[in-house]
Amino acid sequence: MRYTLHPLGDDAVLVELGKEISKETHQKVQSLTAFLEKHPPEWMIEYIPAYTTVTIFYNPFKAYQLSNGQLPFDFVCSLIKPLIEEMTENNMQEPQIVEIPVCYGGEFGPDLDFVAEHNGITPEEVIEIHSSGSYLVYMIGFAPGFPFIGGMSEQIAAPRRDTPRLKIPERTVGIAGMQTGIYPIETPGGWRLIGRTPVKLFRPTDDSPTLLKAGDQIKFKPISLEEYHHWEETEQ
């Protein structure tokens, strides 16, 4: 497996597993993170997966104690290399399949008409295409629990707004370029808003504070406004 190691500050190693965003690179990222989850080195503090990389944070004092005088970065790299060589795609866990109900358009999706007009189709066709896709969560970032989701059809791709909105309500579903995503908390943002889900993505009081994680497969399900409000009440 091809990879490169880069220092990131004085307590982290950036493991680059590919140059482009792809399912193949994503599988490598998932394989390494699954291996680290099952076999955490004693010098490791945490790891952060991204599109093409995994950042591994380490305790430099612990690494130095274990290294017999090596620089912590060199010592950690010498141990990461055999870890990567040992890992296989068999380390990956079965993906979680998550259905996300979405109420499209109206006050929840003020940019639905723009996305339709931009692509020369109707709002109903945007909804049909968006809800019929097979999606993959590549990474979590930007805000707590925000999923960067790939696999969206080019037929409904749309550019970001020139001027970001100052407030986007939590659970709003958006489109930016070839990606779709869901705002887990109220935050500024420039994505095109097409709907909202009644399902909470960020749950800070739960053992697992985010509903989604990298590697999850997503299915969007259109629901009515009445269904949205009923679902939202059960989420309280």
Side-chain angles (χ1 to χ4, degrees):
M1 180 182 295
R2 294 183 179 180
Y3 64 91
T4 53
L5 304 177
H6 308 277
L8 189 64
D10 57 5
D11 63 351
V13 178
L14 183 73
V15 184
E16 186 178 51
L17 296 164
K19 296 292 186 182
E20 298 179 353
I21 300 172
S22 67
K23 286 188 176 180
E24 179 183 358
T25 301
H26 175 75
Q27 287 175 342
K28 294 177 183 178
V29 169
Q30 287 295 101
S31 183
L32 177 55
T33 56
F35 189 92
L36 292 172
E37 186 69 25
K38 292 178 181 177
H39 312 284
E42 59 180 310
W43 41 263
M44 185 179 76
I45 297 174
E46 65 175 327
Y47 60 85
I48 300 175
Y51 279 119
T52 61
T53 63
V54 177
T55 301
I56 303 176
F57 288 87
Y58 58 87
N59 183 326
F61 301 104
K62 184 68 172 179
Y64 183 75
Q65 289 174 347
L66 296 170
S67 70
N68 294 322
Q70 275 186 285
L71 291 175
F73 174 76
D74 293 336
F75 172 71
V76 169
C77 285
S78 71
L79 297 180
I80 290 176
K81 291 176 181 178
L83 289 183
I84 295 176
E85 291 168 3
E86 285 182 43
M87 76 180 193
T88 67
E89 291 183 5
N90 293 330
N91 295 318
M92 294 177 60
Q93 300 175 349
E94 284 296 315
Q96 176 182 223
I97 300 174
V98 183
E99 185 176 78
I100 303 292
V102 180
C103 183
Y104 290 93
E107 63 175 307
F108 295 157
D111 297 323
L112 179 62
D113 288 342
F114 171 86
V115 174
E117 183 177 352
H118 178 76
N119 288 286
I121 57 179
T122 66
E124 291 74 21
E125 287 174 315
V126 173
I127 295 171
E128 180 180 358
I129 294 169
H130 188 265
S131 61
S132 63
S134 177
Y135 297 95
L136 175 66
V137 178
Y138 277 93
M139 62 175 286
I140 302 294
F142 167 63
F146 187 101
F148 287 88
I149 304 170
M152 193 183 74
S153 170
E154 188 176 1
Q155 293 176 285
I156 56 174
R160 287 176 168 83
R161 287 169 53 93
D162 292 334
T163 303
R165 291 180 171 92
L166 296 180
K167 289 184 179 181
I168 293 178
E170 65 172 312
R171 297 177 279 112
T172 299
V173 178
I175 287 175
M178 289 283 292
Q179 292 187 109
T180 186
I182 310 167
Y183 287 86
I185 60 174
E186 183 182 278
T187 179
W191 291 37
R192 300 290 177 173
L193 312 181
I194 62 170
R196 194 178 303 168
T197 177
V199 176
K200 290 184 178 292
L201 273 69
F202 182 49
R203 309 175 181 195
T205 60
D206 290 358
D207 291 337
S208 179
T210 60
L211 174 66
L212 302 174
K213 62 181 183 300
D216 285 351
Q217 294 179 0
I218 304 298
K219 174 68 177 177
F220 293 105
K221 175 187 176 182
I223 59 173
S224 67
L225 183 60
E226 182 180 359
E227 289 174 309
Y228 173 91
H229 287 306
H230 176 72
W231 201 309
E232 190 177 42
E233 289 175 3
T234 64
E235 283 278 309
Q236 299 301 324

